[in-house]
Amino acid sequence: MRPLQRITHIAILTALSLILFVLEGFLPLPLPVPGAKLGLAAVATLVALYRLPYIRDAGTVLALRILLASFFGGGPAAMLYSLAGGAASFLSMALLKKYTGLSVIGISAAGGFLHNISQLLVAAAVMETTALLSYAPVLGVIGILTGVCIGTAARFVLQKVPG
C-alpha cells in the first residue's frame, strides 16, 4: 500500500469510527451499569488492525477517534477513560492477533473485556475508592458480550470489503 493510500485509509476509518461513535449515542441500550456502551467505533479499529499494513496505523485510527470525540463533546474526563480503555483493549487485540490463532471475534471479546476493566480501574483510582470494583464482574461479562457483537460485525465487514 502506497503512503497516500495508507493515509487515506486511516482518514476514512477514523471518520467511520467517529460516525459510529456518534450514532451509538442515539441508541437506547438497557445495560445494567451507567455509562456502559456497545462500542460500535471498535468495528473501525478492528478493520484497521486487519486491513492496514502496520499496527501503528490502527492505533492512529483509535487515537484520532478518541481525541476528536473528546474534543467534540466528551471532555477531558471522557478522554481519560477512553484512552485507558482504548489503550488496554488495543494492546491486547494487537498482541492476540500477532501471537495467537484467535478469530476476530475472540480478539474483539478480549478487547471488550479489557476495555471495560481498564476503565473501571481508572475510575476507581480517580475517585479513590475500591467500591467501584464491585462492578467488575458485570462489566467484564458486558465487555465480553459486546466484544463478541463487535467482532461479529467486524468479521462481516472484513468478508465484504476487499483487502
Side-chain angles (χ1 to χ4, degrees):
M1 184 179 289
R2 294 187 299 229
L4 185 57
Q5 285 176 312
R6 217 175 103 240
I7 292 169
T8 302
H9 280 90
I10 290 169
I12 290 169
L13 287 168
T14 300
L16 175 63
S17 70
L18 278 168
I19 291 166
L20 291 171
F21 175 79
V22 170
L23 286 176
E24 184 173 19
F26 294 112
L27 295 177
L29 293 175
L31 296 173
V33 179
K37 297 181 352 177
L38 189 55
L40 292 177
V43 172
T45 304
L46 281 164
V47 169
L49 190 60
Y50 278 83
R51 288 288 192 251
L52 296 177
Y54 304 109
I55 290 173
R56 71 176 181 261
D57 294 341
T60 300
V61 169
L62 173 66
L64 286 171
R65 196 262 312 149
I66 290 170
L67 293 173
L68 290 169
S70 297
F71 177 76
F72 290 130
M79 185 179 352
L80 174 68
Y81 294 119
S82 293
L83 284 172
S89 175
F90 181 75
L91 181 61
S92 69
M93 292 189 304
L95 290 172
L96 288 170
K97 180 183 179 285
K98 185 172 183 174
Y99 294 112
T100 73
L102 282 176
S103 70
V104 66
I105 296 170
I107 288 171
S108 179
F113 174 81
L114 285 171
H115 186 277
N116 283 0
I117 297 303
S118 297
Q119 286 190 332
L120 184 61
L121 290 171
V122 169
V126 167
M127 296 179 186
E128 298 179 350
T129 179
T130 58
L132 289 177
L133 299 180
S134 65
Y135 284 113
V138 173
L139 283 174
V141 170
I142 289 173
I144 291 168
L145 294 175
T146 58
V148 167
C149 293
I150 297 304
T152 301
R155 182 181 69 181
F156 177 79
V157 171
L158 290 166
Q159 288 172 344
K160 299 295 179 186
V161 176

